[in-house]
Amino acid sequence: MNTYWLEHAWLGERVEHGVVVDLVPPDAPGPVPVDEELGDTADAPVPPGHILAVRTGVETPPAGAVRLPGLTVPGLANAHSHAFHRALRATVQVGSGTFWTWRETMYRFAAALTPDSYYALARAVYAEMALAGITAVGEFHYLHHQPDGRPYDHPNAMGEALIAAAADAGIRITLLDTAYLSSGFGAAPDRHQRRFSDTTADAWAARADQLRGDSHTLIGAAVHSVRAVPADQLATVADFARHRGAPLHVHLSEQLAENEACLAATGRTPTQLLADHGVLGPRTTGVHNTHLTDEDITLIGTSATGTCMCPTTERDLADGIGPAPRLQRAGSPLSLGSDSHAVIDLFEEARALELDERLRTRTRGHWTAAALLRAATADGHAALGRPEAGTLAPGAPADLTTIALDTVRTAGAAPLLGAETAVFAASAADVRHVLVGGRVIVRDGQHVRLPETGRALAEAVAAVRDGGRAAAR
C-alpha cells in the first residue's frame, strides 16, 4: 500500500486539512481486499492504481507517508483536444480574420503531419497537459490518412501514434475517432480535407472498429459536425458508439454560418438534425454549443446530452459565448476543454466560463468554485467515458493533482478557500505534483518522463512548421 498525506484536499464540496489517501500500488499483482481497519474504504476489492481508503482529520503525516503540501484535487479532465493545434500557438495571432481564415492556417499544419511527427508533437503536448494537472484527455481525432487521402499501410497509424504519445506522457486518453466525410452538407472533401475522410460512415466504422483500448485508453467516436457528416449517415456513427457503450462527441453550432447552412440544406438547426438521427443522449457531448435556439437548449437538456465549453478557444476564434447556464439548468452536464491549445490551463477554462458569463450578463456568481471544479474533474471524466474518475474517494482511480498555495498567485487566502483560489487565481504553473493511476508523472513541477518538455515542444512544433512550409510550396 502507498500512503499520501495531503496538507489540504478538495473533497467535492469542501476543503479538508490533513487527509490521508491510501493507494493500491500500480504494480500490485491484483486487487487488494478491503481492510476495515482503514476506516472509510471501498465496498469491493480495489484494483492496482486505485484509491483504497481516504481518512480526514489527520493532523500530521503518518510514518512512511509521502507528504503533498498545498491543495490536492482530483486529476483534471481535458474533454476536448486537437493535439496538433498546439503547433499554431502564436502563429495564428498575427493579423486579423475569422474562424474561417484561421482554419486555412490550421489546414497547412495538418497537411505536414506524419505518424512519427504527430507522435513527437502529441507526446510533448500531453506532457504539457500533465504539467497543468490534466490526467485525462479527450482527443477529437480526424487526421486519419495520408495528405492525398490514401490510407496508410496500417490504417490507424495516426490514431495509434496518439495513443502511444499519451501512454508515454503518462496520461489517460479517450481517442474520439472522428467521422469527417464532407466539406459541407454532401459536398466532397476539398484538397485540405482528403486525409480526414473515410468516404462513408460505414468505411469509417470499419476502420475505427480496429482500434483497441487498454487500462489508459478508451476508444470513443465523434461526428466532426453536421456539415462534415451527411444526415443519412449520422445514425451509423451514433450506432457505433451506442453498441460499444462509448462516448460520442460532436462540434455543435460553433459558428452562425454553420447554422445558416444547415437550415438552408435541411430545414433544421444542427441540434434538431442530430436529434432526428439519434445522436443526442447521455453518452453524447456537444462541443461549444454556442449559437442555440430555445428549442435546441431543451433538446440538449432533456436528452441529458453534455456540453463541453472551451472558453479560451471560443474567445480566441471570436466564436461567441454559449448559453452554458441555461444548458446546465436544462439538464446538460458541463465539461471543459482546451481545444486549440491557445493555452493549456484548465483553471483558466474554469474561471473563463464564469467570467465570460459575468461580462455577458453584468452579474457575478453564476457558478460556485466547487461547481467549476466539478466541470474540470468529475463531469469531464464522465464525458470521456470514465464516470468512476474525478473524485478523491475509495475505489476511484488514483489520479491526483496538487496545486501550490504559496506562489505569488495563490498565497494569502485561507486554505479553506482552496477551491476559490484554484479556480479564480491559480494557473497551470502552480501545479506541483501529479499522479495518474498511482504513478508519479509530475514531481515538484517537473515532468518525470519528459523533463525537458519545453525543448521537446519547440523541436516538435518546428518540425511541423517546417513541414507545413514545404507542403505549401
Side-chain angles (χ1 to χ4, degrees):
M1 183 173 66
N2 295 340
T3 300
Y4 287 82
W5 182 80
L6 317 181
E7 183 183 23
H8 305 286
W10 180 68
L11 299 181
E13 294 294 338
R14 67 192 187 283
V15 172
E16 294 273 3
H17 170 71
V19 176
V20 170
V21 175
D22 296 303
L23 314 179
V24 181
D27 55 358
V32 173
V34 171
D35 183 348
E36 294 182 0
E37 294 182 2
L38 287 174
D40 185 15
T41 60
D43 296 327
V46 177
H50 285 62
I51 297 173
L52 183 62
V54 177
R55 291 172 280 158
T56 60
V58 183
E59 290 298 315
T60 58
V66 177
R67 185 175 181 271
L68 294 182
L71 173 71
T72 298
V73 302
L76 307 179
N78 188 351
H80 189 66
S81 163
H82 302 290
F84 78 93
H85 288 190
R86 173 61 178 81
L88 290 100
R89 189 180 294 181
T91 300
V92 290
Q93 302 302 342
V94 178
S96 61
T98 65
F99 168 86
W100 307 102
T101 53
W102 169 90
R103 190 175 71 161
E104 293 303 310
T105 304
M106 180 271 287
Y107 282 156
R108 188 174 74 248
F109 280 78
L113 287 160
T114 67
D116 288 343
S117 65
Y118 205 6
Y119 163 80
L121 177 61
R123 182 184 64 152
V125 172
Y126 296 152
E128 182 182 359
M129 289 186 193
L131 288 166
I134 293 164
T135 59
V137 61
E139 185 61 40
F140 200 102
H141 166 59
Y142 53 83
L143 293 178
H144 302 309
H145 308 300
Q146 298 180 64
D148 63 2
R150 288 180 298 128
Y152 287 99
D153 291 341
H154 188 53
N156 284 305
M158 294 293 268
E160 291 182 358
L162 292 167
I163 292 171
D168 290 346
I171 71 171
R172 305 181 192 275
I173 185 171
T174 298
L175 187 73
L176 297 159
D177 196 280
T178 303
Y180 194 135
L181 310 174
S182 167
S183 65
F185 299 98
D190 66 24
R191 63 185 181 86
H192 301 296
Q193 299 161 341
R194 285 195 293 262
R195 75 179 312 182
F196 308 163
S197 178
D198 291 288
T199 69
T200 69
D202 286 335
W204 165 82
R207 179 188 51 73
D209 193 45
Q210 299 175 41
L211 289 161
R212 294 291 178 267
D214 55 35
S215 61
H216 271 57
T217 305
L218 293 178
I219 305 302
V223 171
H224 178 273
S225 55
V226 292
R227 69 178 184 273
V229 177
D232 61 359
Q233 299 185 60
L234 289 169
T236 299
V237 185
D239 288 345
F240 177 95
R242 186 178 302 111
H243 292 157
R244 289 159 180 77
L248 173 63
H249 288 212
V250 54
H251 289 134
L252 180 55
S253 288
E254 181 179 4
Q255 291 289 322
L256 284 170
E258 177 182 83
N259 287 3
E260 293 163 359
C262 188
L263 283 165
T266 70
R268 310 289 279 162
T269 68
T271 300
Q272 291 168 338
L273 192 66
L274 294 176
D276 290 346
H277 294 277
V279 177
L280 302 185
R283 280 194 298 272
T284 300
T285 297
V287 181
H288 305 303
N289 291 3
T290 307
H291 303 287
L292 303 175
T293 67
D294 291 345
E295 182 183 348
D296 292 341
I297 292 171
T298 298
L299 285 170
I300 291 168
T302 56
S303 63
T305 298
T307 295
C308 179
M309 302 298 289
C310 306
T312 62
T313 292
E314 288 149 8
R315 63 193 183 196
D316 180 51
L317 298 182
D319 289 343
I321 301 171
R326 293 183 62 199
L327 283 161
Q328 189 171 49
R329 287 195 297 270
S332 179
L334 298 182
S335 56
L336 298 167
S338 62
D339 192 359
S340 66
H341 312 313
V343 297
I344 294 177
D345 188 335
L346 262 289
F347 304 115
E348 174 63 22
E349 303 294 346
R351 72 172 149 265
L353 189 63
E354 167 67 24
L355 298 185
D356 285 356
E357 192 62 23
R358 291 182 186 184
L359 281 175
R360 191 182 69 81
T361 63
R362 298 184 297 280
T363 303
R364 304 176 79 236
H366 301 274
W367 292 277
T368 64
L372 294 168
L373 272 180
R374 278 196 300 276
T377 56
D379 289 344
H381 289 287
L384 298 181
R386 299 182 187 274
E388 73 283 3
T391 181
L392 300 182
D399 299 352
L400 283 67
T401 291
T402 301
I403 308 152
L405 294 179
D406 58 358
T407 74
V408 292
R409 288 166 296 278
T410 62
L416 291 180
L417 295 176
E420 287 74 11
T421 299
V423 170
F424 291 104
S427 76
D430 299 312
V431 172
R432 290 293 177 267
H433 305 285
V434 177
L435 276 71
V436 180
R439 298 187 189 279
V440 178
I441 303 302
V442 174
R443 180 184 288 116
D444 297 325
Q446 186 175 57
H447 197 284
V448 299
R449 300 184 182 184
L450 197 64
E452 295 188 15
T453 304
R455 179 177 177 179
L457 279 163
E459 292 175 350
V461 169
V464 176
R465 183 177 61 242
D466 294 344
R469 287 172 179 161
R473 288 199 291 267

